[in-house]
Amino acid sequence: MTTPVIGVLALQGDVREHLIALAAADAVARPVRRPEELAEVDGLVLPGGESTTISKLAELFGLMEPLRERIAAGMPVYGTCAGLIMLADKILDPRSGQETFGGIDMIVRRNAFGRQNESFEAGVSVAGIEDGPVEGVFIRAPWVESVGATVEVLAEHGGHIVAVRQGNALATSFHPELTGDHRIHALFVDMVRAAG
């Protein structure tokens, strides 16, 4: 089986940690900053960071429309934290002019778990991930308010949805790339292989 080439959107956020986690999960990982780099990958990770900034930089780098088109066409994509916000079809409390790539029929609330100083870690049981809970690092994390009928809820924390999947799109409110546990990245690499 060929090794999938998976990009990490490298406009802002914890790009390096995702590149390391993807490599540990047997993918060829590379940063993506331009449309021509996007065209060369089999799947894409949207890292955490600041969703408003990612939105503005994606426009600036000419990536907004190419990304929307590839996601709509079924390219596997995985978003963490701000990446989850970027995959939402609707944001409850968007900043002025903030846009998303879309791809998951969900409504999200930005910074739902509180400010930076309210960040926390917690064990999260994720459907499809074996050998116990993953350590979720929640940093100014969003949560999913509601999902459409075709969205699979993979995990909840404190009564709120924190991991979802719809087709080839996967999203978590938390940051598994910061823990050294690469099981969610391995799940995503399997999704990219299956889509190939």
Side-chain angles (χ1 to χ4, degrees), residues 4 6-7 22 25 42-46 75-79 129 168-170 182-194:
I6 301 179
L22 288 166
D42 304 313
L44 186 70
V45 171
L46 306 174
M75 173 186 70
V77 63
Y78 170 37
I129 302 290
N168 283 333
L170 176 69
H182 306 305
R183 288 177 292 165
I184 293 183
H185 287 81
L187 170 68
F188 181 61
V189 172
D190 287 344
M191 286 170 58
V192 176
R193 279 203 185 96

Side-chain angles (χ1 to χ4, degrees), residues 113-182:
F113 283 105
R115 300 184 177 282
Q116 189 84 24
N117 63 358
E118 297 166 274
S119 300
F120 63 96
E121 291 186 32
V124 181
S125 296
V126 180
I129 302 290
E130 305 195 350
D131 301 322
V134 299
E135 192 62 22
V137 178
F138 292 82
I139 303 169
R140 285 191 356 217
W143 67 48
V144 179
E145 287 277 330
S146 63
V147 296
T150 59
V151 177
E152 184 184 359
V153 173
L154 301 180
E156 294 188 21
H157 179 76
H160 301 287
I161 300 168
V162 296
V164 294
R165 179 176 178 180
Q166 183 176 20
N168 283 333
L170 176 69
T172 59
S173 295
F174 52 89
H175 295 269
E177 74 282 2
L178 299 178
T179 65
D181 181 342
H182 306 305

Side-chain angles (χ1 to χ4, degrees), residues 59 63-73 99-102:
E59 282 287 355
L63 279 164
M64 188 62 87
E65 286 313 312
L67 257 168
R68 284 181 174 152
E69 287 166 15
R70 290 263 344 246
I71 292 169
E99 293 193 50
T100 69
F101 305 131

